[in-house]
């Protein structure tokens, strides 16, 4: 009779720093504490579909006695970021059964968690999720793997851009990721000394940003400017200038470039403007200490939940502890945007940062 549990682990959606640290924690705790077998599923649900697996042991993750996973970016399991997975739901469940899994841990952001929730319900799997995303938009958890490192990466870029902006009296427009959420732009903008932060949740006025930059220069002697723009920033309907965004919702040449053009027009070419799109640099790099700690705590807690017989839950960070929250509650409330009462919005305003018209918070 089989007594040992066979645990699968996969990473789904866009990668981020800290995924490998979570894999390491799951493998260590599951094998050392509980004596389970752990197998990695490559490329998320694609690995289940194709019945592929990689044996993971504490020993196989060692390199000359060191375990490199703690500080390695990306994911050793590979990942996919596609939304049409559920079209093959029966084949994926057949793959899970063929691999003879007793339980599965899935690490993903809000899109992946919804897919995995549907799969685990239909397949009747024992399943626990671990949240990760540089967008920080998973509901009911104060922290997710990858966000802390991404904030640090953006702040590092803002530090560098500030020196060159100040040397040339320029306005730097810095476009950051985040999809429909402004957490990354808001937190890195405050920590990186931005003058304007434009996020999806608070529609901005070009006129407002422009006059703020001019006032900083004319009244306060700050001859340069740093504008952090979330890729999903939303324009206010009554803004000035030619608002392609009001009609089309998405600019054709990227949000950073669009805002640079608008500010240039609004300032009658008085401002010297440059654009930096940070792109996937924000997803790379080695994980911060914060993300390593979080990944370790989440990995350990996910294994413990399985050992307690729990299923259909996500580990979440709440009030300094890791708790299990029903996955359905999470997916019903994600993506979770910056809320109107987020104290960091008030903090930004108190610091004199232009953050759009907060009376128009849309969600
Ligand atoms: O969800 C994470 C994220 O990095 C978003 O911030 C960004 O919009 C998107 O993924 C980029 O996806 P891809 O890697 O498929 O280009």
């Amino acid at each position: 009779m089989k007594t040992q549990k066979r645990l699968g682990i996969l990473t789904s959606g866009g990668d981020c720093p800290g995924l490998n640290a979570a894999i390491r924690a799951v493998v260590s705790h599951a094998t050392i504490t509980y004596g389970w077998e752990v197998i990695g599923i490559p490329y998320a649900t694609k690995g289940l579909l194709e019945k592929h697996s990689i044996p993971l042991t504490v020993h196989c993750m060692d390199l000359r006695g060191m375990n490199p996973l703690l500080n390695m970016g990306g994911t050793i399991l590979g990942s996919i970021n596609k939304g049409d997975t559920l079209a093959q739901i029966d084949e994926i469940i057949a793959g899970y059964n063929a691999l003879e899994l007793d339980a599965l841990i899935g690490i993903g952001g809000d899109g992946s968690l919804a897919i995995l929730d549907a799969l685990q319900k239909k397949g009747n799997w024992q399943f626990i999720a671990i949240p990760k995303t540089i967008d920080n938009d998973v509901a009911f958890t104060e922290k997710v793997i990858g966000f802390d490192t991404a904030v640090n990466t953006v702040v590092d870029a803002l530090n560098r851009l500030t020196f060159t902006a100040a040397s040339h009296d320029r306005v730097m427009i810095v476009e950051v990721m985040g999809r429909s959420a402004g957490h990354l732009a808001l937190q890195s903008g405050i920590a990186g000394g931005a003058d304007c932060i434009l996020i999806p949740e608070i529609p901005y006025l070009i006129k407002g940003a422009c006059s703020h930059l001019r006032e900083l220069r004319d009244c306060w002697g700050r001859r340069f400017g740093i504008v952090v723009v979330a890729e999903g920033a939303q324009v206010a309907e009554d803004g000035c200038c030619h608002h392609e965004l009001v009609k089309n919702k998405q600019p054709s040449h990227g949000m950073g470039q669009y805002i640079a053009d608008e500010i240039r027009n609004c300032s009658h070419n008085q401002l010297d403007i440059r654009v930096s799109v940070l792109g996937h640099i924000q997803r790379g790099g080695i994980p911060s200490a914060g993300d390593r700690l979080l990944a370790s705590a989440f990995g350990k807690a996910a294994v413990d939940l399985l050992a307690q017989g729990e299923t259909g839950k996500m580990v979440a960070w709440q009030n300094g502890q890791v708790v299990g929250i029903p996955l359905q509650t999470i997916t019903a409330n994600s993506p979770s945007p910056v809320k109107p009462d987020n104290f960091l919005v008030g903090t930004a305003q108190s610091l004199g940062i232009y953050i759009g018209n907060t009376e128009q918070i849309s969600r």
Side-chain angles (χ1 to χ4, degrees):
M1 199 181 80
K2 185 178 156 192
T3 52
Q4 195 191 38
K5 216 178 182 56
R6 190 159 209 240
L7 170 63
I9 180 164
L10 58 79
T11 49
S12 179
D15 76 311
C16 65
L19 295 174
N20 288 324
I23 295 168
R24 169 184 178 264
V26 166
V27 175
S28 303
H29 194 39
T31 57
I32 296 169
T33 310
Y34 295 107
W36 298 345
E37 178 191 2
V38 185
I39 59 170
I41 312 293
Y43 300 104
T45 48
K46 185 168 184 281
L48 290 175
L49 191 68
E50 296 173 356
K51 308 178 183 64
H52 288 161
S53 66
I54 304 165
L56 295 174
T57 64
V58 177
H59 176 68
C60 86
M61 297 188 304
D62 272 8
L63 196 68
R64 294 176 63 82
M66 297 183 316
N67 188 321
L69 293 193
L70 187 59
N71 57 11
M72 211 170 119
T75 163
I76 54 161
L77 296 176
S79 190
I80 51 165
N81 204 1
K82 288 194 197 145
D84 59 351
T85 311
L86 290 178
Q88 291 174 293
I89 192 162
D90 293 327
E91 292 91 329
I92 293 170
I93 290 167
Y96 178 97
N97 294 333
L99 290 170
E100 298 183 340
L101 294 174
D102 298 306
L104 182 69
I105 289 179
I107 312 176
D110 73 288
S112 299
L113 295 180
I115 291 168
L116 291 166
D117 190 34
L119 282 164
Q120 64 97 14
K121 277 188 191 129
K122 180 137 196 234
N124 200 21
W125 301 345
Q126 194 191 5
F127 177 78
I128 297 293
I130 298 178
K132 66 85 215 170
T133 169
I134 66 160
D135 304 340
N136 196 31
D137 57 356
V138 178
F140 297 111
T141 181
E142 291 153 24
K143 298 182 187 197
V144 291
I145 296 170
F147 182 66
D148 184 59
T149 311
V151 170
N152 285 316
T153 302
V154 177
V155 169
D156 179 59
L158 296 178
N159 290 341
R160 291 164 193 266
L161 288 166
T162 298
F163 289 122
T164 172
S167 303
H168 291 274
D169 295 350
R170 279 178 172 156
V171 171
M172 294 292 181
I173 311 283
V174 188
E175 181 186 308
V176 307
M177 284 183 166
R179 243 184 255 270
S180 61
H183 300 281
L184 183 56
L186 178 62
Q187 296 198 25
S188 56
I190 294 172
D195 301 301
C196 304
I197 302 175
L198 309 181
I199 61 174
E201 296 85 347
I202 307 174
Y204 64 88
L205 294 169
I206 283 293
K207 216 168 20 182
C210 205
S211 58
H212 184 64
L213 291 168
R214 272 201 296 234
E215 189 187 320
L216 286 175
R217 188 187 56 188
D218 299 342
C219 308
W220 300 97
R222 180 158 157 118
R223 305 192 57 81
F224 66 96
I226 303 290
V227 179
V228 172
V229 179
E231 62 181 344
Q234 295 291 318
V235 68
E237 294 275 337
D238 60 344
C240 79
C241 311
H242 47 88
H243 283 309
E244 175 195 343
L245 273 191
V246 172
K247 281 190 260 120
N248 303 333
K249 296 288 175 207
Q250 281 299 317
S252 44
H253 300 300
M255 188 59 74
Q257 189 57 53
Y258 176 79
I259 285 168
D261 294 343
E262 292 270 283
I263 292 183
R264 194 172 284 121
N265 280 334
C266 196
S267 70
H268 308 291
N269 279 323
Q270 294 294 299
L271 299 171
D272 188 13
I273 302 173
R274 294 290 185 276
V275 180
S276 296
V277 179
L278 299 187
H280 289 78
I281 285 173
Q282 296 159 98
R283 293 232 303 256
I286 64 170
S288 65
D291 274 329
R292 295 181 206 189
L293 282 171
L294 185 66
S296 303
F298 275 171
K300 182 234 181 251
V303 171
D304 283 341
L305 284 177
L306 289 175
Q308 290 154 18
E310 296 277 9
T311 186
K313 291 194 168 173
M314 186 193 84
V315 292
W317 188 276
Q318 291 186 352
N319 304 317
Q321 293 192 61
V322 183
V323 293
I325 307 283
L327 205 40
Q328 199 166 331
T329 310
I330 304 287
T331 57
N333 291 282
S334 298
S336 174
V338 173
K339 305 260 173 14
D341 59 352
N342 185 313
F343 72 97
L344 290 176
V345 171
T347 303
Q349 287 168 320
S350 312
L351 294 175
I353 298 170
Y354 176 79
I355 191 166
N357 184 356
T358 48
E359 279 158 27
Q360 293 190 18
I361 288 182
S362 55
R363 285 178 290 169

